[in-house]
Amino acid sequence: MEKFIYRFNNQGSNSSLNSKEILGGKGTSLAQMAKLGLPVPPGFTISTRVCEYFYKNSKKIPKKVIQESKKEINIIEKISKKKFGDLSNPLLVSVRSGSRVSMPGMMDTILNLGLNDKTVIALKNKTSNGRFAKDSYRRLIQMYANVVLGIEAHFFEELIENYKLTKGVIQDTELDESDWDGLIKNFKEVVKEKTKRDFPQDVNEQLWGAIKAVFLSWNSKRAKIYRKINYIPDDWGTAVNVQAMVFGNMGENCATGVAFTRNPSTGEKEFFGEYLVNAQGEDVVAGTRTPQYISKNLRKKSNSKGLSMEELMPKIFSQLKKIFNQLEKKYKDMQDIEFTVENNKLWMLQTRSGKRTAKAAIKIAVDMVKEKLISNKEAILRVDPNVLDTLLHPTLDEDAEKIVIASGLPASPGAASGKVAFSADEAERLKEQQQNTILVRVETSPEDINGMHAANGILTARGGMTSHAAVVARGMGRPCVSGSNEIKIDYENKFFKSNEHVIKEGDIITIDGGSGKVMLGKVPTVKPDISAEFSKLMGWADKIRKLKVRANSETPSDTKIARDFGAEGIGLCRTEHMFFEEKRIISVREMILSKTLDDRKKALAKLLPYQKNDFIEIFKIMNGLPVTVRLLDPPLHEFLPKTDKDIEDISKVLNISKQDIKSRIIELHEQNPMLGHRGCRLGISFPEIYQMQCQAIFEALAACKKKKLKLVIPEIMIPLVSTAAEIQILRKLVEKTAEEIQHKESIKIKYYVGTMIELPRAALRAKDIAKFADFFSFGTNDLTQTTFGISRDDAGKFLNDYVENKIFNKDPFVSIDERGVGELIKIAAERGRAQKKYLKLGICGEHGGDPASIEFCENIKLNYVSCSPYRVPIARLSAAQAFLKKNKKTN
Ligand code: PEP
Ligand code: MG
């Protein structure tokens, strides 16, 4: 028969002892601590299965659970030598929730159950502390009324506040026994008025009312929202822990506290924690009194006057120290602990793995390897790769005050403050004056590139996670919040509105690209700090991982950063991004607007030296490592002149009237530029463009050879291919250009030609395409866009509704949609390798820097992932974790 109730100190051989699934997190840790022989107040756990039963059976508790609980209460009575509802020595219990994963503050807890008008007198007599007894009773009525009877908390809080006002006191601690007596009377009147019943005096009614309320709190609105945000399944349910109360507020030889076995901010190996004498747990959290440090060392470090526990209660402190070590040995992780001292006796109330900063996570993992507590493989698995972002970019000072005025997508991590600039020119102007600036645009386009570079951060009103602003900002390592629908920009009058706030050009704002928040004024930031432990952990990860990690980079400065972060090659050099600079963009526009081949060739000739020199620089930095150069793939709307000034500039250069330019723009206008004349379609229509680019690549190689540099083997990549014929034709063009340069420069050049797989048809026809390709690189930005038929630039507007309605778990432009897009990738990989066994496979969409997507790439045996330079360390760690997880599964 299924076991529903588990006693903390008598789990027997039942295999569910360690099962958070059944006991919940709190129940498991209480059981384990009891088993270790630690002082845990007696109690029992009602399993999560009962919660399941409760919801399936019109919210009833099985009879068996009620019978067994009675027996368990008897056992608690025996151990504690108190009796539930007794009139001379009453036992009080707590009823607490506890699901598989911690959901802090989301479900309910009721303390001091077992007090009524009579037992409260017994408690007073037994403890000779009337104030304590009455205070405990009023807390019970308040909590019970709120949690079980559904009476809003403010009715009680107002009574206390008004009473304190009349009495002329500020703190609750200034109220004495008779004050609480009066308030208890008032509280009971509120209960009677609201429920038409008296506050229950039957202690068993109290107990079962509380247990049911905890089960019900699993489905409270806040718990449901929390689960949705944190991807916690609704059917897990909560366990309920019933435990004898212990009191830290019975006098000066009592205390309560919370502690970490190591410093959770720095990771230092030092006991870290706070305690309060003569207080209950909630007093430490509520901040009504300032807690004191537990260790002498910490007290001294922070110049605190209040005596540490080490000084005030030395015996208890040394007992705690021993327990900390025991717990770390058992859990092999830093623990977050709650304890209470009742009349000089220590009680352990909770232990769990403690939350920590990114810096602490790395230090603790590496230190624990040194201490031989864990292996380096375990250390790798301990650190969440996503938190590395906070180590590589400046972050907001946690303690600083923040006034959030808008939010958007967390498009590129890091925090930045500066004066609002509504144009790239203004951002550049401010930069020249050494001023920090945030570029605020409805959306960005290539002509904003200088402004993006000049700005400390970028905020856009439109665009998703793979919009121009997001991709470029990530590549540059600039913080970016994109698609902030709340902001309404008025370029003409130079201000933006966000809810009730009006922000003018020059006003200071702060953006946090890690959370997507926009804040008023300057919020202080904290600089990144890369530690020796970080390098150590990355070194271990590199030894283990099989996936190579490359970077998406097209400028020498980004390429350098990528190398410094450990990139093993460039997986995507977007050549159109090399033309973003002002001088170059004019020539690109000239090329696009040209009507004749001759005009186009003239424009291309101007671009050739730029391309060649950039390639020389990049090849130099990469020093023999692979570099994938993607030939031009500009969706035209990103490059066509938009403003009158752009049109005027280009008309001067081309010596054509503005009117002619405007009509050419109309001619070139596309309804769906993302599905338009871009990618290899440009190469098919205008082979001279790709020819110029290949010439630049090969001439750059020849120049490197002359300089006796270590030669890169370029991987020339053709974008947006959907048929084998396209790559067949364009491959020939590359080969022909290579032959010409080899002949001209009298050198032998080695190179590969491959394709991006970013259209569903290309994935399906991969076998044919692979005949003409030496490698495939999955362009999952476009592949996601074209598989779902969702524009990557506009998705931000409605993706939230999709996540809210549970259509998407996560933004598919951030984390790969394994079932759809992933299926296409698998098909393409299989079909491609069926044609060529050793076809090199990589991914270069934004997903290449997302840990879950990287795990997918490892599982389907890609050769490499490529991501923006700042995500390279994240990808290195994720790749190692993915390998370890895969091998754990297969072992
Ligand atoms: C892609 O589509 O995934 C890709 C890498 O190319 P881009 O983002 O430049 O379209
Ligand atoms: Mg693409």
Side-chain angles (χ1 to χ4, degrees):
M1 234 219 276
E2 186 167 8
K3 199 167 146 82
F4 283 140
I5 303 248
Y6 295 82
R7 197 178 307 152
F8 297 164
N9 56 359
N10 181 20
Q11 304 299 319
S13 59
N14 198 303
S15 60
S16 62
L17 170 62
N18 283 316
S19 168
K20 287 191 183 173
E21 255 171 66
I22 298 203
L23 299 177
K26 193 184 276 287
T28 309
S29 82
L30 286 166
Q32 289 174 338
M33 284 199 293
K35 195 145 192 245
L36 282 174
L38 303 185
V40 174
F44 60 96
T45 303
I46 304 175
S47 96
T48 55
R49 296 272 193 267
V50 181
C51 187
E52 198 183 322
Y53 177 99
F54 178 79
Y55 279 106
K56 282 192 183 144
N57 293 279
S58 0
K59 302 188 179 150
K60 279 203 193 81
I61 309 257
K63 263 208 188 96
K64 190 173 164 243
V65 171
I66 299 180
Q67 285 159 0
E68 280 183 26
S69 297
K70 264 190 196 148
K71 278 190 215 154
E72 291 301 323
I73 293 278
N74 285 339
I75 293 190
I76 301 178
E77 289 174 337
K78 268 194 201 125
I79 299 172
S80 64
K81 302 193 179 67
K82 296 176 184 173
K83 256 183 151 6
F84 198 44
D86 193 57
L87 298 188
S88 59
N89 191 9
L91 165 72
L92 305 191
V93 296
S94 64
V95 168
R96 295 174 201 260
S97 59
S99 65
R100 254 186 245 194
V101 292
S102 149
M103 293 171 47
M106 295 301 131
M107 286 181 293
D108 289 323
T109 282
I110 298 134
L111 306 177
N112 302 331
L113 286 154
L115 280 176
N116 57 26
D117 293 351
K118 288 182 181 155
T119 55
V120 73
I121 304 295
L123 183 69
K124 171 183 167 171
N125 295 337
K126 188 75 198 166
T127 58
S128 314
N129 192 337
R131 187 194 179 278
F132 155 73
K134 303 296 167 65
D135 184 25
S136 305
Y137 190 26
R138 70 91 191 174
R139 285 181 199 246
L140 168 67
I141 303 174
Q142 233 176 310
M143 266 190 174
Y144 194 91
N146 179 238
V147 173
V148 184
L149 307 174
I151 304 173
E152 285 169 47
H154 69 87
F155 288 109
F156 304 97
E157 281 152 14
E158 279 162 15
L159 281 173
I160 302 180
E161 287 316 307
N162 288 339
Y163 186 80
K164 283 197 290 192
L165 262 174
T166 13
K167 198 180 170 186
V169 298
I170 294 171
Q171 304 283 357
D172 287 6
T173 44
E174 293 169 89
L175 299 180
D176 60 22
E177 181 184 351
S178 67
D179 297 326
W180 288 126
D181 270 336
L183 282 163
I184 287 169
K185 195 166 153 276
N186 295 342
F187 282 9
K188 289 203 293 195
E189 280 163 11
V190 173
V191 171
K192 179 85 192 229
E193 189 199 319
K194 300 281 168 203
T195 64
K196 310 286 171 249
R197 284 196 57 200
D198 287 321
F199 177 76
Q201 295 293 307
D202 176 345
V203 293
N204 282 307
E205 184 187 340
Q206 286 178 6
L207 176 69
W208 289 103
I211 292 172
K212 276 189 188 167
V214 170
F215 282 143
L216 287 172
S217 73
W218 173 255
N219 270 343
S220 67
K221 200 170 157 198
R222 64 179 196 270
K224 280 184 175 167
I225 293 173
Y226 185 89
R227 287 203 294 273
K228 203 162 107 193
I229 297 171
N230 292 283
Y231 309 112
I232 299 171
D234 285 333
D235 59 3
W236 278 4
T238 181
V240 178
N241 300 292
V242 180
Q243 188 174 29
M245 288 287 301
V246 286
F247 295 97
N249 57 341
M250 274 167 60
E252 292 305 306
N253 55 3
C254 303
T256 187
V258 290
F260 292 87
T261 52
R262 302 188 186 216
N263 187 321
S265 319
T266 62
E268 276 321 307
K269 194 167 190 256
E270 58 186 1
F271 298 132
F272 187 92
E274 296 173 330
Y275 80 111
L276 271 175
V277 172
N278 196 8
Q280 271 201 327
E282 62 193 67
D283 301 327
V284 181
V285 187
T288 40
R289 284 165 60 193
T290 312
Q292 291 146 242
Y293 288 104
I294 58 165
S295 77
K296 201 161 118 188
N297 225 350
L298 276 179
R299 173 176 81 79
K300 282 192 174 157
K301 259 201 231 168
S302 55
N303 280 330
S304 161
K305 290 204 176 64
L307 278 188
S308 66
M309 184 174 220
E310 190 171 4
E311 292 154 305
L312 198 68
M313 298 178 163
K315 269 197 187 143
I316 302 276
F317 180 75
S318 67
Q319 194 186 349
L320 258 181
K321 253 169 72 173
K322 251 189 229 146
I323 291 176
F324 287 175
N325 287 329
Q326 253 176 303
L327 288 174
E328 272 211 351
K329 255 200 193 118
K330 156 112 190 117
Y331 291 103
K332 303 185 190 314
D333 196 9
M334 183 254 271
Q335 295 296 293
D336 166 357
I337 285 160
E338 284 175 25
F339 62 89
T340 283
V341 180
E342 183 185 282
N343 296 330
N344 280 329
K345 174 156 175 50
L346 174 67
W347 292 102
M348 299 300 297
L349 300 183
Q350 172 147 317
T351 186
R352 58 184 168 193
S353 280
K355 298 245 178 297
R356 61 206 80 183
T357 62
K359 189 176 164 193
I362 293 173
K363 177 150 178 57
I364 291 170
V366 172
D367 282 354
M368 285 193 164
V369 175
K370 274 191 229 150
E371 293 161 30
K372 301 203 164 37
L373 273 176
I374 59 174
S375 67
N376 55 8
K377 285 183 186 161
E378 273 162 357
I380 288 169
L381 289 166
R382 282 282 169 89
V383 179
D384 174 0
N386 284 312
V387 304
L388 297 187
D389 249 354
T390 60
L391 286 183
L392 307 172
H393 298 271
T395 49
L396 289 180
D397 182 348
E398 268 182 31
D399 301 329
E401 199 194 325
K402 300 170 190 88
I403 303 169
V404 175
I405 55 169
S407 53
L409 297 171
S412 177
S417 306
K419 287 189 170 173
V420 167
F422 289 112
S423 68
D425 287 349
E426 179 61 10
E428 281 202 294
R429 197 184 65 79
L430 289 170
K431 166 110 194 262
E432 274 162 24
Q433 296 175 0
Q434 319 286 324
Q435 304 208 39
N436 289 344
T437 163
I438 304 290
L439 179 64
V440 182
R441 304 281 301 162
V442 174
E443 58 189 343
T444 61
S445 63
E447 68 251 38
D448 294 323
I449 203 75
N450 286 354
M452 292 173 84
H453 214 270
N456 299 72
I458 296 135
L459 166 63
T460 71
R462 285 221 301 257
M465 293 291 280
T466 55
S467 62
H468 178 270
V471 171
V472 175
R474 272 199 292 277
M476 286 180 179
R478 291 286 178 285
C480 173
V481 173
S482 70
S484 175
N485 294 329
E486 286 160 90
I487 69 165
K488 309 282 175 259
I489 303 176
D490 182 338
Y491 282 137
E492 207 176 327
N493 297 303
K494 301 204 168 135
F495 70 83
F496 77 79
K497 262 191 184 168
S498 178
N499 306 312
E500 76 275 21
H501 299 276
V502 176
I503 312 290
K504 295 195 285 300
E505 191 156 73
D507 287 353
I508 293 180
I509 59 167
T510 299
I511 60 164
D512 179 4
S515 69
K517 296 267 182 294
V518 182
M519 286 143 283
L520 207 57
K522 181 175 163 57
V523 179
T525 52
V526 188
K527 269 200 175 147
D529 154 30
I530 294 179
S531 61
E533 283 88 5
F534 175 84
S535 311
K536 184 123 215 150
L537 187 79
M538 293 315 269
W540 292 335
D542 289 343
K543 275 203 188 118
I544 278 173
R545 70 187 160 86
K546 292 287 171 283
L547 267 174
K548 295 272 181 208
V549 176
R550 298 191 186 184
N552 295 355
S553 166
E554 43 272 333
T555 63
S557 65
D558 286 351
T559 306
K560 254 182 131 63
I561 294 171
R563 283 287 286 133
D564 289 346
F565 279 145
E568 296 162 298
I570 288 181
L572 174 63
C573 172
R574 290 176 164 105
T575 48
E576 62 276 8
H577 286 199
M578 296 165 108
F579 299 134
F580 279 164
E581 256 179 39
E582 205 178 333
K583 273 193 220 142
R584 305 177 182 198
I585 204 166
I586 289 235
S587 306
V588 176
R589 287 193 170 135
E590 189 183 337
M591 174 188 81
I592 292 173
L593 293 168
S594 306
K595 277 188 172 167
T596 65
L597 179 63
D598 268 358
D599 284 348
R600 207 161 27 251
K601 280 194 168 163
K602 259 188 238 154
L604 285 168
K606 289 185 204 163
L607 289 171
L608 177 70
Y610 291 126
Q611 283 255 277
K612 184 175 152 183
N613 286 332
D614 279 356
F615 286 136
I616 294 174
E617 281 306 304
I618 290 174
F619 292 166
K620 227 195 260 174
I621 299 167
M622 293 314 284
N623 194 27
L625 292 172
V627 175
T628 308
V629 180
R630 181 178 75 187
L631 302 186
L632 217 59
D633 172 28
L636 280 183
H637 68 310
E638 283 190 8
F639 280 88
L640 283 175
K642 288 194 185 79
T643 61
D644 277 348
K645 185 176 174 296
D646 292 338
I647 293 173
E648 199 172 320
D649 288 350
I650 193 85
S651 101
K652 276 187 206 145
V653 176
L654 293 184
N655 206 11
I656 324 176
S657 74
K658 283 203 276 184
Q659 200 42 50
D660 271 2
I661 305 259
K662 280 184 187 161
S663 49
R664 181 78 178 128
I665 292 174
I666 293 169
E667 245 173 71
L668 287 171
H669 172 79
E670 293 179 327
Q671 294 297 351
N672 284 314
M674 275 293 196
L675 301 177
H677 204 180
R678 61 175 284 219
C680 68
R681 295 160 200 170
L682 279 176
I684 297 289
S685 302
F686 311 119
E688 57 280 6
I689 300 180
Y690 280 11
Q691 191 278 335
M692 178 283 283
Q693 292 198 288
C694 292
Q695 185 181 342
I697 297 169
F698 296 135
E699 286 186 359
L701 275 181
C704 289
K705 189 153 193 177
K706 276 184 203 135
K707 289 185 188 164
K708 300 206 168 22
L709 298 173
K710 198 163 174 194
L711 277 197
V712 155
I713 303 177
E715 300 177 1
I716 296 172
M717 182 155 79
I718 315 289
L720 222 72
V721 162
S722 56
T723 65
E726 287 164 325
I727 173 114
Q728 185 181 17
I729 293 170
L730 294 170
R731 182 178 186 112
K732 269 199 195 126
L733 176 75
V734 180
E735 284 168 351
K736 187 164 165 272
T737 313
E739 269 164 35
E740 283 165 11
I741 307 292
Q742 293 195 85
H743 188 71
K744 194 173 91 187
E745 305 276 349
S746 321
I747 55 162
K748 182 98 195 96
I749 293 171
K750 204 165 172 212
Y751 62 93
Y752 298 109
V753 181
T755 176
M756 293 191 77
I757 301 287
E758 45 189 348
L759 293 171
R761 192 183 192 281
L764 297 174
R765 303 305 305 164
K767 197 168 174 190
D768 299 341
I769 291 173
K771 273 189 208 155
F772 308 101
D774 303 319
F775 63 88
F776 284 173
S777 177
F778 293 98
T780 44
N781 301 333
D782 275 313
L783 191 57
T784 302
Q785 168 168 259
T786 50
T787 301
F788 279 104
I790 292 177
S791 154
R792 54 197 265 198
D793 290 327
D794 301 311
K797 274 191 191 154
F798 57 88
L799 266 185
N800 236 350
D801 303 336
Y802 268 58
V803 173
E804 228 145 67
N805 283 292
K806 296 191 176 166
I807 301 168
F808 292 156
N809 266 337
K810 288 184 190 167
D811 180 344
F813 288 100
V814 174
S815 204
I816 207 119
D817 155 51
E818 289 190 25
R819 292 186 166 186
V821 178
E823 184 76 20
L824 282 169
I825 296 177
K826 271 197 227 163
I827 290 172
E830 274 163 27
R831 294 185 184 172
R833 280 184 172 152
Q835 178 68 254
K836 272 191 189 145
K837 199 168 169 196
Y838 297 107
L839 184 72
K840 195 189 276 184
L841 299 177
I843 180 174
C844 64
E846 293 301 297
H847 304 85
D850 167 64
S853 312
I854 292 170
E855 191 174 340
F856 171 77
C857 294
E858 165 66 36
N859 290 340
I860 61 160
K861 299 197 181 87
L862 296 195
N863 300 94
Y864 69 85
V865 296
S866 187
C867 56
S868 62
Y870 285 85
R871 289 196 81 81
V872 166
I874 296 169
R876 286 160 65 197
L877 185 60
S878 303
Q881 291 187 347
F883 178 80
L884 289 172
K885 283 187 205 161
K886 184 165 100 177
N887 288 295
K888 227 185 222 168
K889 268 184 228 153
T890 49
N891 274 344

